[in-house]
Amino acid sequence: MDTLKKFAGKSETTGTSNNAQQPGEKQDVGDKIAGFVNKREGGKMSNQQLETGTDKARNMYEKATGNKVDPRISN
């Protein structure tokens, strides 16, 4: 259950995180999923790298299907 709370961003963390998010930048569902997978695989990528990857994936999806991704999922 703690894993779900952490994933939802509702747990308190102590110490510092090397994946600090820029002020004013809000994580969407795609970013949270990428961050979760990254953490489970050893945390080798920074948040900036994950953001770039999810943005590219969204753009490829939109180009291939011609449909926009719902802003609730990816902004």
Side-chain angles (χ1 to χ4, degrees), residues 12-75:
E12 294 180 21
T13 56
T14 57
T16 59
S17 173
N18 60 353
N19 289 336
Q21 190 175 7
Q22 296 295 325
E25 184 179 325
K26 186 178 177 197
Q27 277 193 325
D28 55 37
V29 174
D31 295 332
K32 288 182 180 180
I33 292 170
F36 176 76
V37 171
N38 182 51
K39 184 177 178 182
R40 298 292 285 179
E41 293 298 319
K44 298 176 182 115
M45 298 176 72
S46 70
N47 270 355
Q48 185 62 37
Q49 291 171 318
L50 293 172
E51 178 70 27
T52 302
T54 57
D55 288 346
K56 286 182 181 180
R58 183 190 70 242
N59 289 334
M60 288 176 13
Y61 170 82
E62 290 176 352
K63 185 177 179 181
T65 64
N67 297 327
K68 292 276 187 187
V69 175
D70 188 347
R72 292 178 294 164
I73 296 172
S74 179
N75 50 7

